[in-house]
C-alpha cells in the first residue's frame, strides 16, 4: 500500500473516533494493522475479555512470528488459565490447557508439565513461583505491565504504537478543499452552493440570466460543521498535486493495494492522482473471496498474514536503491542468439519446449500427439522418447475410463499442452490436453522413470509449473475446469484448490519474494488473478491488455514481471508490469496488426525479450519498447513459432512448420556446442585407454566434472556421446558470499578443456595487464576480504582495520562498457559527505579478528563484520542501516539463503552456525558439529544443502529442510603434514552446484556431492609455498590460487592441473615493493570475465590482473596431436589407507 493510502486509513480512524464509532475504530485498527491502540488493549485486558484480546492482537502479530509475540500470547493464555483455576473451574482449565497452552509445549516441555501440574493442586498458589499471586484485578495489572514491555520491544509492533500527529477533522478539511476546487472549476459557480452528495463531482446549476460570473462564497459549506476555512483558495492552491512517489516493489503487494477498474464506486470523492488512480491504471483491492469448495487442508501461515500486513503498509524487506529502477543493460547484438546451428526433426508438431536448468544443451519437447522427447543439442541425438499412455486407467475419471487404452493412444487430439523441468532438473512434468499430468524422474543417462500420474482437471490441463511453497517440491496445474490446483510432487497428494476464475485457466506463474510464495494465473477471458497458498481466494482480479490469452514470466533475477498474449481479434500485447502499482509500466511495439496465432514469448538474463510473430523471431531490449532485431531463422517458421532460451541465453530453440526444431546460437552458444562435439569425440578416442587401465572412469565434462560413473564400462562406451556434461556458465563470485551474479560470463573462444596446455611461467610485468588500484586512504592494514560487485563494475575490499573501500569503473572512450579492467584506472568511490564504511570492532585487537562479508544480488547493500556486530550498509550512502549479532561470539562467515534473502547462515567464532531470520530478528536454529571457528559456508539449491567448513579442517553437510547434519568429513591429511591438521578451510561450489572446491594452506581439492575427494593438488615444484586463497573462475573452467610467497597459480578446474604460474614480479613493480613482503591474502574472480582476477594484498594494496591482449587467456595450448601433458599434474584423491608418496618440494 502506498504511503498516501496508509495515511488515508489514519484519517478515517480519526473521523470514526470523532464521530464516536468506537467499535468500528478498533475493528479498522485491527484489520489494517497500522495502529495498535494500547489504551483499548489495556481496557480489554482489565475486563478479562480474553477472546477479544487475542482477536485484536492477531491483527498485528501471530504466536509464531517471533519470541516476543510468543511470550505475549503465552502470558495472556496463562492468565486466563490461572483465573479459571482460581474459580475452581477445572473443566475450563483443562480446556484452556489443551486448546491454548499446549501450543507452547514443543518450545518448553518442562514448563508445560509444570503448568499441567497446577491442576492437581487445591490452590495453585501452593506453587512457589505463584505464591505471591494476589486477586484477579492486581494480577491483571501486573500482567498488563509485562505485556506492555513486550509489545514495545516487539519489532513488529514498536512502530505502530504512536498515532501520527495532525489537525482535528483533517479528512473533513481535505474533502472541503476538494469541493472548493470543484466549485472553482464550475462553468457557472453560484454563491453558497448547496452540496448534497459526495458520490458525484459537484457542479452548480445554470448561471443567472445576466450571465455574470458570481464570485465564490467566503466559506464552502459541507455536510456537518467544519472549521472555518476562509475564502475559497484560488485555482492552483491545491493543484497541480505533487507527484506520488511509488513505494519499492515487493511481491504482489501493489496488485493488492489498489482497486479493480471494473468496480463502479470510487474510494473517495475526487481525490488527488495517486490516491485514486485513473481507470486505465488502477488495480483495486477486492475483498478476499471464499472459494465455493475449499480444500480439506488449510495452510494459512504467519507468512501469508505477514504478507497481507505488508500489502497494507507498503513495506518491503528487500533493501534496494530504488524499487523502480534497473541497471542499464550492457551488451551487443552479438549476444543475441540468431545463427542457426542445428535443425532437429521431431516428427510431429512441437507444442512445448524447455531447456534443462543445469545442462545447457539438453532440450525437452512435447508434441501435438502426446509424445515427449529429450534432445542433446550438441550431438543432435534424441536421448529419450515417450509416447502418450495412461499408466493406470482404473484410477482416472469416468470420461477417460470410458475410452479404451488403444483408443486413447491413437487419439490425435491428446496433445502435450506444456512440458518443463523441475528447478534442479531431476524431474520433468507434462500437462496433457485430456485430464492428465505425468511426471518422470530423469537421469543423466537419458533414462526416464515413471513417477506420478495425476488425474488433475476435468477437461484439458493447460499449464504446469513447479514451486516450493513449503519445504518440499510442489506441482501447480490449471485447466479447462477454471481451477488451479497444487500437488505434492512426491506423493501426488492434492494440497490446494483455487477457484474464482470464470473461464478456463490458461497459464500459471508461481513466484516468491522475501520468502512469500504466490501464484499468478491467467484465464482465456483475459483475467489475471493472484493467490497465496491458503484458502482465502484470489488477492487480485485484473484485466490483461486486450483481454487476451496471456502468459506471464519474470526476469531471471525475479525483479521484473512481463506478460504476452493475443486477443480474440488477433491483437498481441507484450508488456512490463509495475508490481507496486498493479499497472502497465511499458508496452512493447512491433507486432503484426492481426497475429495469426497466440504469440509466445520468453525472457533471458535480465536483458532480452523474444517473441514469435509474423513467421519470425522478434527481440526487444527490456528497457526499450521498439523491436531491437528480427530474424526468420533461415525460413520455415510458422506464423507464431514457439520458442525457449536456455538458462544463459546462449541458445534459443524455436519450432518450425515441418515438425522440427531449430537451434539458434550466439557466439558463446556456438563455442559451447562445438566444445561438446569435440568432447564426445575425445570420449570415444579415450574409451579403449580406459578399459586397458581397468579404471573406474571419471566423466569429465566440458565445463566441469561429474561424479564418477559406477555403471559398467561397456555401457559407457556404448553411449559415450550420451554422457551429459554439467555445463553451466552462471557467474560465481568470490568464496566469501556464495553469490551468483546476474551478468553472463564469457566462454573461452577455444575448446580449452580438450586441449593440452604447456605450463607457462610469467615473471615479467610486461606480459600480463596489471593495475594497482589507486588508494588515497592507503594504510598498512591487510586486505582480508575482497569482492567484485555482481555487475562487474566495481571492486569492494575490507581491510583488517574494519574499513571498506569501493572502487568503481565508469564509462569512458577507453572503457565504453564501464566494466572493471586492468587497462583503465577506477575511482576510489566515497559519498559526498566523506563518510567511511567501517564495521564495529570488539575491544580486542581488530587486526586479529576474523572478517566476513556478503553482497546483495543487486549490489545495493553489503553485510559485513570485523569481530564486532554484523552491520548492514547501504552501498550508495555508506550508511549503516542496521546492526545485529553482537559478540561474543563474533561472526566469522556470512552466506545468504538461496531462496530467501531474509535468511542468513552466520558462521560463528564458537564453532556454531546460526540460521538467522533478519525479518524477525531471531535465530531460527543453531547448528553444532565443528570444533573450531567457521571459515566457510556454501549453499547448493539443487542439492538442497548447506556445506560448512571450519578451522578444524572439517566439512559438514546440512539439510536445508530440517537443518540436520547429513554427513561430515575431515579433509584428508597430506603425507607431508602431521595429523590432525588445523587452519582456515575455505569452500566454494562449482557452477554445477554439485562439485566443491576446498582450499587449505596444504592443498586444493575437488569434492563431489557426497563429500568424497575426486582430486587434489599439493604445493610443490614451481609453487612450493602455502596456499593463501583460491577461487573458481566465473565460467567454472579455472581455479585461481594465491600463495604466501606472492605467486599465483592458474589451474584447470576439473583436474587441478597447473596451467600457468604468475610470479609476484609480474604484477608488483620492484620499485614499490620490498622483496618477499606482500602476497595475495585473498583472490576474487570477475563475475563475467573468466580471465580477470583481483588480488587483495597483505600490504593493503589491491591489484587487478588479466592476460595480455595478445594472449587473451592464461596458458599456451599445445597442438592436439602432440599429446603431451603439462609437466605439473594434479594428485589423485588422497587416501589414508593408501598414502601417496610425498610430493617433491
Amino acid at each position: 500500500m502506498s504511503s498516501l493510502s496508509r495515511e488515508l486509513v489514519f484519517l478515517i480512524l480519526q473521523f470514526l473516533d470523532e464521530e464516536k464509532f468506537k467499535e468500528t475504530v478498533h475493528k479498522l485498527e485491527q484489520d489494517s494493522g497500522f495502529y495498535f491502540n494500547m489504551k483499548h488493549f489495556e481496557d480489554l485486558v482489565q475486563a478479562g475479555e480474553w477472546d477479544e484480546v487475542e482477536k485484536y492482537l492477531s491483527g498485528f502479530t501471530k504466536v509464531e512470528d517471533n519470541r516476543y509475540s510468543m511470550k505475549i500470547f503465552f502470558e495472556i493464555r496463562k492468565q486466563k488459565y490461572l483465573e479459571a483455576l482460581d474459580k475452581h473451574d477445572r473443566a475450563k482449565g483443562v480446556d484452556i490447557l489443551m486448546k491454548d497452552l499446549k501450543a507452547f509445549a514443543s518450545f518448553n516441555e518442562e514448563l508445560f508439565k509444570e503448568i499441567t501440574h497446577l491442576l492437581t493442586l487445591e490452590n495453585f498458589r501452593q506453587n512457589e513461583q505463584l505464591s505471591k499471586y494476589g486477586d484477579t484485578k492486581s494480577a491483571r495489572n501486573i500482567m498488563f505491565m509485562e505485556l506492555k514491555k513486550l509489545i514495545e520491544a516487539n519489532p513488529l509492533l514498536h512502530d505502530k504504537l504512536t498515532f501520527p500527529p495532525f489537525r482535528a477533522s483533517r479528512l473533513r478539511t481535505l474533502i472541503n478543499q476538494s469541493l472548493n476546487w470543484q466549485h472553482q472549476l464550475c462553468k457557472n459557480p453560484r454563491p453558497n452552493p448547496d452540496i448534497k452528495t459526495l458520490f458525484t463531482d459537484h457542479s452548480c446549476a445554470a448561471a443567472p440570466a445576466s450571465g455574470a460570473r458570481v464570485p465564490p462564497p467566503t466559506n464552502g459549506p459541507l455536510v456537518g460543521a467544519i472549521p472555518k476555512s476562509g475564502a475559497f483558495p484560488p485555482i492552483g492552491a491545491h493543484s497541480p498535486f505533487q507527484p506520488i512517489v511509488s513505494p519499492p516493489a515487493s511481491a504482489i503487494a501493489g496488485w493488492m493495494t489498489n482497486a479493480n477498474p471494473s468496480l463502479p464506486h470510487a474510494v473517495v470523492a475526487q481525490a488527488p492522482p495517486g490516491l485514486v488512480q485513473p481507470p486505465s491504471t488502477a488495480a483495486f483491492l477486492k475483498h478476499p473471496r471464499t472459494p465455493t469448495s475449499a480444500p480439506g487442508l488449510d495452510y494459512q501461515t504467519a507468512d501469508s498474514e505477514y504478507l497481507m500486513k505488508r500489502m497494507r503498509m507498503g513495506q518491503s524487506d528487500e533493501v534496494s536503491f530504488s524499487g523502480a529502477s534497473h541497471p542499464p543493460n550492457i551488451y551487443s547484438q552479438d549476444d543475441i542468439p540468431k545463427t542457426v546451428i542445428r535443425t532437429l526433426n521431431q516428427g510431429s508438431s512441437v507444442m512445448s519446449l524447455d531447456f534443462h536448468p543445469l545442462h545447457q544443451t539438453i532440450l525437452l519437447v512435447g508434441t501435438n500427439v502426446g509424445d515427449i522427447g529429450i534432445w542433446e543439442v550438441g550431438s543432435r541425438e534424441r536421448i529419450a522418447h515417450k509416447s502418450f499412455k495412461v499408466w493406470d486407467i482404473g484410477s482416472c475419471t469416468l470420461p477417460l475410463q470410458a475410452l479404451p487404452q488403444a483408443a486413447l493412444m491413437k487419439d490425435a487430439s491428446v496433445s502435450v499442452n506444456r512440458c518443463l523441468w523441475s528447478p534442479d532438473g531431476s524431474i520433468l512434468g507434462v500437462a496433457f490436453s485430456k485430464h492428465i499430468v505425468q511426471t518422470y524422474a530423469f537421469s543423466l543417462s537419458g533414462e526416464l522413470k515413471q513417477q506420478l500420474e495425476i488425474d488433475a482437471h476435468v477437461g484439458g490441463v493447460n499449464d504446469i509449473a513447479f514451486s516450493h511453497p513449503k519445504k518440499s517440491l510442489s506441482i501447480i496445474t490449471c485447466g479447462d475446469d477454471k481451477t488451479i490446483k497444487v500437488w505434492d510432487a512426491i506423493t501426488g497428494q492434492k494440497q490446494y484448490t483455487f477457484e474464482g476464475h470464470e473461464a478456463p485457466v490458461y497459464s500459471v506463474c508461481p513466484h516468491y519474494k522475501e520468502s512469500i510464495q504466490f501464484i499468478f494465473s491467467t484465464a482465456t477471458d483475459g483475467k489475471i488473478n493472484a493467490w497465496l497458498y491458503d484458502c482465502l481466494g484470489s488477492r487480485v482480479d485484473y484485466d490483461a491488455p486486450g483481454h487476451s490469452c496471456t502468459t506471464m514470466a519474470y526476469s531471471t533475477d525475479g525483479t521484473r514481471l512481463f506478460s504476452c498474449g493475443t486477443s480474440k481479434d488477433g491483437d498481441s500485447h507484450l508488456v512490463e508490469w509495475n508490481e507496486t502499482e498493479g499497472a502497465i509500466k511499458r508496452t512493447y511495439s512491433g507486432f503484426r496488426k492481426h497475429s495469426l496465432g497466440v504469440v509466445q514469448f520468453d525472457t533471458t538474463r535480465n536483458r532480452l525479450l523474444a517473441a514469435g510473430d509474423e513467421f519470425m523471431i522478434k527481440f526487444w531490449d527490456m528497457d526499450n519498447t521498439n523491436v531491437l532485431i528480427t530474424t526468420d531463422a533461415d525460413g520455415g517458421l510458422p506464423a507464431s513459432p514457439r520458442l525457449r532460451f536456455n538458462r544463459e541465453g546462449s541458445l534459443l530453440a524455436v519450432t518450425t512448420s515441418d515438425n522440427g526444431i531449430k537451434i539458434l546460437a550466439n557466439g558463446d552458444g556456438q563455442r559451447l556446442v562445438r566444445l561438446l562435439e569435440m568432447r564426445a569425440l575425445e570420449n570415444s578416442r579415450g574409451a579403449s585407454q580406459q578399459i586397458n587401465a581397468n579404471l573406474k572412469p571419471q566423466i569429465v565434462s566440458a565445463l566441469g566434472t561429474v561424479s564418477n560413473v559406477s555403471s559398467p564400462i561397456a555401457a559407457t562406451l556404448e553411449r559415450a556421446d550420451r554422457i551429459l556434461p554439467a555445463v553451466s556458465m552462471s557467474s560465481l563470485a568470490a568464496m566469501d558470499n556464495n553469490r551468483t551474479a546476474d551478468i553472463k560470463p564469457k566462454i573461452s573462444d577455444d575448446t580449452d578443456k580438450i586441449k593440452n596446455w604447456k605450463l607457462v611461467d610469467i615473471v615479467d610485468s610486461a606480459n600480463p595487464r596489471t593495475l594497482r588500484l589507486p588508494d588515497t586512504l592507503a594504510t598498512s592494514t591487510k586486505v582480508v576480504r575482497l569482492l567484485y560487485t555482481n555487475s562487474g563494475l566495481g571492486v569492494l575490499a575490507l581491510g583488517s582495520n574494519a574499513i571498506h573501500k569501493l572502487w568503481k569503473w565508469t564509462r569512458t572512450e577507453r572503457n565504453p562498457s564501464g566494466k572493471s579492467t586492468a587497462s583503465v584506472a577506477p575511482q576510489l568511490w566515497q559519498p559526498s559527505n566523506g563518510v567511511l564504511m567501517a564495521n564495529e570492532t570488539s575491544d580486542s585487537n581488530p587486526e586479529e579478528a576474523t572478517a566476513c562479508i556478503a553482497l546483495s544480488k543487486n549490489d545495493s547493500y553489503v553485510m559485513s563484520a570485523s569481530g564486532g556486530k554484523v552491520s548492514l550498509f547501504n552501498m550508495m550512502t555508506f550508511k549503516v542501516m542496521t546492526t545485529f549479532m553482537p559478540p561474543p561470539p563474533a561472526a566469522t562467515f556470512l552466506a545468504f539463503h538461496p531462496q530467501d534473502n531474509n535468511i542468513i547462515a552466520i558462521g560463528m567464532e564458537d564453532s556454531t552456525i546460526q540460521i538467522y531470520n533478519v525479518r524477525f530478528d531471531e535465530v531460527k536454529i543453531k547448528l553444532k558439529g565443528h570444533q573450531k571457528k567457521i571459515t566457510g559456508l556454501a549453499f547448493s539449491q539443487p542439492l538442497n544443502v548447506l556445506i560448512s567448513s571450519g578451522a578444524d579442517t572439517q566439512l559438514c553437510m546440512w539439510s536445508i529442510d530440517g537443518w540436520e547434519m547429513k554427513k561430515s568429513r575431515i579433509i584428508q591429511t597430506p603425507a607431508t603434514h602431521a595429523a590432525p591438521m588445523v587452519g582456515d578451510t575455505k569452500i566454494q561450489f562449482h557452477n554445477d552446484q554439485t562439485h566443491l572446491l576446498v582450499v587449505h594452506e596444504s592443498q586444493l581439492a575437488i569434492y563431489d556431492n557426497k563429500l568424497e575427494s575426486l582430486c587434489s593438488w599439493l604445493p610443490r615444484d614451481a609453487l612450493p609455498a602455502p596456499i593463501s586463497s583460491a577461487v573458481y573462475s566465473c565460467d567454472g573452467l579455472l581455479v585461481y590460487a594465491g600463495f604466501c610467497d606472492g605467486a599465483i597459480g592458474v589451474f584447470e578446474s576439473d583436474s587441478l592441473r597447473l596451467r600457468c604460474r604468475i610470479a609476484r614480479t609480474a604484477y608488483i613493480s620492484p620499485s614499490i615493493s620490498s622483496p618477499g613482503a606482500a602476497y595475495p591474502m585473498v583472490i576474487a574472480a570477475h563475475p563475467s570475465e573468466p580471465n580477470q582476477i583481483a588480488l587483495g594484498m597483505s600490504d593493503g594494496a589491491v591489484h587487478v590482473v588479466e592476460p595480455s591482449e595478445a594472449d587473451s587467456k592464461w596458458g599456451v595450448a599445445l597442438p592436439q596431436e602432440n599429446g603431451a601433458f603439462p609437466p605439473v599434474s594434479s594428485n589423485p584423491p588422497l587416501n589414508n589407507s593408501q598414502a601417496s608418496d610425498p610430493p617433491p618440494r
Side-chain angles (χ1 to χ4, degrees):
M1 179 177 284
S2 69
S3 59
L4 284 186
S5 298
R6 187 170 184 267
E7 290 179 3
L8 177 59
V9 174
F10 282 107
L11 294 176
I12 295 171
L13 285 171
Q14 183 197 56
F15 172 81
L16 293 172
D17 185 67
E18 290 171 345
E19 296 297 316
K20 310 300 182 186
F21 294 108
K22 296 299 183 183
E23 290 186 9
T24 309
V25 168
H26 301 316
K27 182 63 176 174
L28 181 55
E29 289 167 353
Q30 174 189 328
D31 287 347
S32 67
F34 289 163
Y35 175 61
F36 187 92
N37 191 324
M38 190 70 79
K39 182 64 173 67
H40 173 62
F41 185 73
E42 180 182 6
D43 292 342
L44 293 176
V45 169
Q46 297 291 4
E49 297 178 15
W50 304 119
D51 290 343
E52 290 301 315
V53 167
E54 285 206 25
K55 187 182 298 183
Y56 186 77
L57 189 61
S58 66
F60 301 87
T61 184
K62 299 295 182 187
V63 175
E64 63 273 21
D65 279 352
N66 56 40
R67 59 181 181 273
Y68 300 100
S69 300
M70 184 176 294
K71 178 69 172 172
I72 292 169
F73 278 95
F74 174 77
E75 291 296 330
I76 292 169
R77 295 176 184 181
K78 184 185 75 173
Q79 180 63 27
K80 180 167 63 169
Y81 175 68
L82 293 177
E83 290 185 15
L85 295 184
D86 206 24
K87 296 176 182 177
H88 302 288
D89 190 346
R90 297 190 180 278
K92 184 176 181 180
V94 170
D95 186 66
I96 295 170
L97 181 72
M98 301 309 296
K99 289 184 178 179
D100 296 333
L101 289 171
K102 192 172 182 180
F104 303 98
S106 59
F107 299 98
N108 194 329
E109 189 173 354
E110 291 300 318
L111 178 60
F112 182 74
K113 289 180 180 178
E114 188 174 353
I115 292 175
T116 304
H117 181 67
L118 298 179
L119 286 169
T120 65
L121 303 178
E122 183 64 25
N123 187 333
F124 63 78
R125 293 173 180 83
Q126 296 171 5
N127 182 290
E128 183 179 352
Q129 297 182 38
L130 296 173
S131 59
K132 295 183 180 180
Y133 185 97
D135 59 9
T136 299
K137 184 176 180 180
S138 62
R140 290 175 181 174
N141 278 327
I142 294 171
M143 185 197 69
F144 175 76
M145 297 307 297
E146 177 68 14
L147 292 181
K148 186 176 180 181
K149 293 177 183 178
L150 291 169
I151 290 168
E152 290 172 346
N154 194 325
L156 294 180
L157 294 173
H158 64 71
D159 61 342
K160 304 176 184 178
L161 302 178
T162 304
F163 199 92
F166 49 86
R167 292 183 179 180
S169 303
R170 179 61 181 163
L171 182 59
R172 289 180 175 275
T173 302
L174 288 174
I175 295 175
N176 184 58
Q177 290 171 348
S178 174
L179 293 172
N180 289 344
W181 180 46
Q182 293 174 36
H183 186 64
Q184 279 283 60
L185 297 179
C186 287
K187 294 182 179 179
N188 302 295
R190 300 179 60 188
N192 301 315
D194 184 15
I195 299 175
K196 296 180 179 180
T197 181
L198 298 177
F199 292 129
T200 58
D201 288 354
H202 163 68
S203 178
C204 292
S210 63
R213 183 178 176 89
V214 180
T218 57
N219 186 34
L222 183 66
V223 178
I226 60 168
K228 188 177 179 70
S229 60
F232 276 100
I235 295 177
H238 305 287
S239 178
F241 292 93
Q242 295 299 313
I244 306 304
V245 180
S246 298
S250 60
I252 51 175
W255 295 72
M256 304 182 188
T257 58
N258 302 317
N260 190 319
S262 62
L263 294 179
H265 61 275
V267 176
V268 71
Q270 195 62 27
L275 193 60
V276 179
Q277 297 287 348
S280 60
T281 60
F284 282 37
L285 169 65
K286 293 191 71 174
H287 293 290
R289 295 170 295 180
T290 303
T292 53
S293 59
L297 297 175
D298 183 357
Y299 292 104
Q300 179 70 14
T301 65
D303 273 347
S304 61
E305 288 295 312
Y306 178 74
L307 176 62
M308 295 309 295
K309 289 293 188 308
R310 280 180 37 241
M311 290 167 187
R312 293 191 287 261
M313 296 171 60
Q315 293 176 339
S316 172
D317 292 318
E318 179 70 15
V319 183
S320 61
F321 289 140
S322 171
S325 65
H326 303 281
N329 287 330
I330 303 172
Y331 63 92
S332 69
Q333 290 197 9
D334 293 337
D335 291 329
I336 299 174
K338 53 184 181 292
T339 303
V340 177
I341 60 166
R342 289 286 186 274
T343 300
L344 311 174
N345 182 20
Q346 178 63 30
S348 50
S349 180
V350 176
M351 305 300 292
S352 181
L353 304 147
D354 195 30
F355 276 102
H356 195 280
L358 299 180
H359 304 282
Q360 299 287 290
T361 57
I362 297 178
L363 179 66
L364 170 66
V365 300
T367 73
N368 65 335
V369 295
D371 294 348
I372 59 169
I374 300 177
W375 291 84
E376 213 305 309
V377 171
S379 64
R380 299 183 176 87
E381 182 187 9
R382 187 164 65 182
I383 61 176
H385 177 265
K386 292 287 183 181
S387 298
F388 173 73
K389 179 181 179 181
V390 178
W391 303 339
D392 184 7
I393 193 70
S395 64
C396 295
T397 53
L398 292 176
L400 275 183
Q401 291 184 28
L403 295 173
Q405 180 73 269
L408 272 175
M409 294 180 64
K410 295 179 181 179
D411 186 357
S413 66
V414 178
S415 170
V416 172
N417 282 342
R418 180 74 187 276
C419 59
L420 83 165
W421 299 99
S422 64
D424 64 358
S426 62
I427 300 173
L428 63 90
V430 190
F432 293 99
S433 60
K434 291 288 181 71
H435 301 253
I436 297 294
V437 167
Q438 293 177 344
T439 65
Y440 292 86
F442 173 72
S443 65
L444 293 179
S445 64
E447 179 185 1
L448 290 179
K449 182 180 179 181
Q450 294 180 2
Q451 191 174 47
L452 283 180
E453 183 175 64
I454 304 172
D455 190 359
H457 294 272
V458 178
V461 185
N462 296 325
D463 200 6
I464 182 174
F466 290 95
S467 72
H468 283 90
K470 299 295 178 183
K471 293 180 179 178
S472 60
L473 184 68
S474 293
I475 300 170
I476 304 169
T477 63
C478 65
D480 289 343
D481 57 4
K482 307 175 186 178
T483 65
I484 302 102
K485 297 181 181 180
V486 182
W487 316 82
D488 187 291
I490 304 302
T491 65
Q493 179 182 1
K494 183 166 64 177
Q495 297 173 324
Y496 305 95
T497 298
F498 301 130
E499 298 180 344
H501 278 291
E502 298 175 356
V505 185
Y506 181 69
S507 70
V508 288
C509 176
H511 195 57
Y512 71 91
K513 286 201 174 181
E514 298 106 31
S515 82
I516 307 302
Q517 304 270 354
F518 54 91
I519 306 168
F520 280 120
S521 62
T522 69
T524 55
D525 61 359
K527 288 291 184 182
I528 298 174
N529 284 359
W531 318 79
L532 295 178
Y533 292 84
D534 55 28
C535 302
L536 300 182
S538 170
R539 303 312 208 274
V540 163
D541 187 351
Y542 204 73
D543 291 326
H547 297 273
S548 53
C549 260
T550 298
T551 55
M552 307 184 80
Y554 276 88
S555 57
T556 306
D557 61 6
T559 62
R560 305 176 71 172
L561 176 62
F562 302 89
S563 72
C564 182
T566 304
S567 68
K568 295 178 180 179
D569 298 329
D571 296 328
S572 296
H573 304 268
L574 175 60
V575 301
E576 179 180 3
W577 291 92
N578 183 326
E579 286 183 286
T580 303
E581 302 298 331
I584 294 172
K585 177 180 179 180
R586 186 178 283 114
T587 300
Y588 299 90
S589 61
F591 286 104
R592 177 189 174 101
K593 185 64 176 176
H594 296 290
S595 300
L596 300 179
V598 176
V599 170
Q600 306 292 322
F601 88 115
D602 199 9
T603 73
T604 184
R605 299 302 297 175
N606 312 318
R607 298 178 176 184
L608 296 174
L609 300 165
D613 183 46
E614 291 189 272
F615 305 94
M616 65 178 69
I617 306 163
K618 299 177 179 179
F619 297 91
W620 289 264
D621 177 341
M622 287 182 177
D623 297 327
N624 194 319
T625 59
N626 296 320
V627 173
L628 181 64
I629 194 173
T630 64
T631 179
D632 65 356
D634 299 336
L637 302 185
S640 299
R642 302 173 188 275
L643 47 81
R644 192 74 169 177
F645 286 104
N646 70 348
R647 188 182 65 185
E648 303 299 338
S650 59
L651 300 177
L652 177 66
V654 59
T655 58
T656 65
S657 299
D658 57 355
N659 300 335
I661 308 157
K662 288 188 176 184
I663 307 298
L664 284 68
N666 59 15
D668 288 346
Q670 294 177 58
R671 287 187 285 272
L672 173 61
V673 171
R674 186 167 63 247
L675 182 151
L676 293 175
E677 285 180 326
M678 300 179 73
R679 177 74 248 177
L681 178 62
E682 185 192 49
N683 282 343
S684 62
R685 287 180 177 176
S688 60
Q689 297 175 10
Q690 289 180 345
I691 293 178
N692 293 335
N694 195 25
L695 296 174
K696 180 181 177 182
Q698 181 183 1
I699 308 303
V700 182
S701 77
L703 297 182
T705 59
V706 180
S707 303
N708 285 345
V709 178
S710 58
S711 56
I713 292 177
T716 304
L717 294 177
E718 268 181 51
R719 304 170 64 96
D721 57 345
R722 290 194 184 189
I723 300 302
L724 306 179
V727 179
S728 176
M729 295 168 286
S730 295
S731 304
L732 282 182
M735 288 176 130
D736 282 320
N737 63 346
N738 189 39
R739 57 196 165 96
T740 300
D742 292 328
I743 306 299
K744 180 186 64 177
K746 292 183 179 178
I747 302 175
S748 303
D749 288 336
D750 298 321
T751 52
D752 295 353
K753 299 309 295 176
I754 65 169
K755 290 185 177 180
N756 297 322
W757 292 82
K758 176 184 176 182
L759 176 62
V760 174
D761 200 5
I762 301 175
V763 297
D764 188 353
S765 60
N767 193 315
R769 286 180 289 162
T770 65
L771 175 67
R772 178 178 174 134
L773 302 189
D775 189 357
T776 57
L777 304 173
T779 60
S780 60
T781 59
K782 301 171 288 189
V783 177
V784 291
R785 293 291 181 264
L786 188 68
L787 302 173
Y788 277 95
T789 58
N790 288 295
S791 63
L793 306 178
V795 170
L796 177 66
L798 173 59
S800 57
N801 61 352
I803 294 177
H804 302 76
K805 296 176 184 178
L806 175 63
W807 288 270
K808 289 185 178 182
W809 278 259
T810 57
R811 287 190 178 89
T812 63
E813 290 184 4
R814 292 183 59 197
N815 186 24
S817 70
K819 289 189 177 182
S820 60
T821 174
S823 302
V824 178
Q827 175 190 2
L828 180 60
W829 195 87
Q830 275 188 291
S832 57
N833 58 10
V835 66
L836 294 176
M837 187 159 47
N839 282 330
E840 293 187 18
T841 56
S842 60
D843 295 334
S844 59
N845 184 5
E847 295 282 337
E848 301 301 321
T850 301
C852 51
I853 193 169
L855 186 64
S856 67
K857 289 183 179 180
N858 59 2
D859 295 335
S860 62
Y861 63 95
V862 64
M863 196 170 290
S864 180
S866 298
K869 292 181 181 179
V870 179
S871 299
L872 182 68
F873 294 95
N874 186 312
M875 285 277 281
M876 180 72 77
T877 63
F878 284 10
K879 289 183 178 179
V880 178
M881 303 173 67
T882 187
T883 59
F884 53 93
M885 285 287 175
T892 57
F893 207 93
L894 301 168
F896 284 103
H897 192 287
Q899 294 178 304
D900 186 352
N901 265 348
N902 288 304
I903 304 297
I904 306 170
I906 306 178
M908 308 300 289
E909 198 171 34
D910 66 353
S911 79
T912 64
I913 302 164
Q914 301 197 16
I915 306 303
Y916 177 73
N917 190 314
V918 179
R919 184 204 304 164
F920 298 129
D921 185 27
E922 65 179 2
V923 176
K924 294 179 63 177
I925 192 171
K926 285 187 180 181
L927 310 182
K928 297 180 180 180
H930 288 274
Q931 306 304 314
K932 293 183 180 295
K933 70 178 181 181
I934 305 301
T935 56
L937 295 169
F939 281 99
S940 171
Q941 188 168 351
L943 298 179
N944 205 36
V945 298
L946 168 68
I947 306 291
S948 60
S949 62
D952 55 1
T953 69
Q954 183 180 196
L955 306 177
C956 293
M957 179 184 290
W958 313 85
S959 168
I960 294 178
D961 289 339
W963 299 111
E964 70 275 5
M965 184 189 292
K966 300 177 68 174
K967 186 172 293 187
S968 68
R969 184 178 301 278
I970 301 291
I971 67 171
Q972 296 174 4
T973 305
T976 54
H977 282 65
M981 289 196 307
V982 293
D984 289 3
T985 307
K986 298 291 183 67
I987 53 177
Q988 181 190 8
F989 269 110
H990 185 270
N991 293 8
D992 62 13
Q993 291 285 287
T994 58
H995 292 80
L996 190 73
L997 173 63
V998 178
V999 183
H1000 185 264
E1001 65 174 11
S1002 68
Q1003 62 188 278
L1004 300 175
I1006 305 296
Y1007 282 70
D1008 64 12
N1009 57 9
K1010 298 179 180 178
L1011 296 187
E1012 299 288 346
S1013 178
L1014 300 177
C1015 62
S1016 63
W1017 182 91
L1018 309 179
R1020 63 182 186 275
D1021 297 340
L1023 295 168
I1027 300 166
S1028 60
S1029 178
V1031 66
Y1032 275 119
S1033 63
C1034 64
D1035 59 4
L1037 293 178
L1038 303 175
V1039 171
Y1040 295 103
F1043 294 82
C1044 291
D1045 61 359
I1048 305 296
V1050 184
F1051 299 82
E1052 297 177 8
S1053 65
D1054 61 346
S1055 62
L1056 293 181
R1057 182 182 301 154
L1058 181 62
R1059 179 185 293 189
C1060 179
R1061 185 185 81 94
I1062 307 170
R1064 186 166 56 89
T1065 55
Y1067 62 90
I1068 300 179
S1069 171
S1071 63
I1072 61 172
S1073 173
S1074 58
Y1079 67 92
M1081 295 193 65
V1082 60
I1083 297 183
H1086 193 283
S1088 59
E1089 297 290 343
N1091 291 291
Q1092 184 187 128
I1093 55 174
L1095 311 176
M1097 306 297 291
S1098 58
D1099 63 356
V1102 175
H1103 298 266
V1104 172
V1105 183
E1106 52 190 339
S1108 65
E1109 293 183 356
D1111 293 336
S1112 76
K1113 62 176 62 66
W1114 302 108
V1116 175
L1118 294 174
Q1120 182 65 29
E1121 62 273 14
N1122 188 308
F1125 286 95
V1128 182
S1129 62
S1130 65
N1131 303 316
L1134 300 173
N1135 193 311
N1136 293 331
S1137 63
Q1138 187 177 355
S1140 59
D1141 293 331
R1145 299 297 297 239

